[in-house]
């Protein structure tokens, strides 16, 4: 059975399926391209740099989780016209 992963923005109807190097797994979150554009470039850059510097270390995972939470909030708020 193929499952689909919905965009985490409420009322967005976009979904994605399995990808070769990124299969679906429990707890995975995803933002569609339409809503990903609403996230500040500075946050995306910070996350990219963080991942390059810290990799998969415990500190890197903790910081990545924190930045991801900010990105999610920003995408949801901007999609709803709040910010």
């Amino acid at each position: 059975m193929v499952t689909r992963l919905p965009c985490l923005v409420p009322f967005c109807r976009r979904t994605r399926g399995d990808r070769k190097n990124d299969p679906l797994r429990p707890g995975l979150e995803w933002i569609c391209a339409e809503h990903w554009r609403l996230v500040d470039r500075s946050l995306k850059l910070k996350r990219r740099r963080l991942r390059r510097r810290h990799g998969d270390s415990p500190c890197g995972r903790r910081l990545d989780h924190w930045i991801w939470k900010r990105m999610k909030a920003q995408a949801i708020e901007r999609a709803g016209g709040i910010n």
Side-chain angles (χ1 to χ4, degrees):
M1 180 177 144
V2 176
T3 57
R4 304 289 298 173
L5 182 65
C7 176
L8 61 85
V9 175
F11 306 111
C12 180
R13 299 186 62 190
R14 293 172 183 236
T15 62
R16 68 159 261 210
D18 274 334
R19 295 180 181 161
K20 281 186 180 179
N21 296 324
D22 191 14
L24 298 180
R25 60 189 183 282
L28 186 66
E29 295 179 320
W30 174 72
I31 300 174
C32 70
E34 180 182 339
H35 294 112
W36 185 246
R37 283 193 301 261
L38 302 176
V39 178
D40 284 339
R41 284 184 177 179
S42 62
L43 277 177
K44 294 176 190 177
L45 181 61
K46 284 179 188 176
R47 187 173 188 224
R48 204 171 323 134
R49 285 179 180 161
L50 172 103
R51 286 178 156 194
R52 219 176 13 241
R53 284 188 192 137
H54 296 284
D56 200 30
S57 69
C59 178
R61 283 193 302 263
R62 189 171 50 252
L63 291 170
D64 184 57
H65 180 70
W66 180 76
I67 290 177
W68 177 249
K69 283 179 24 179
R70 289 183 59 199
M71 294 170 110
K72 281 192 320 188
Q74 193 172 71
I76 292 169
E77 288 171 358
R78 288 185 175 177
I82 296 173
N83 190 353

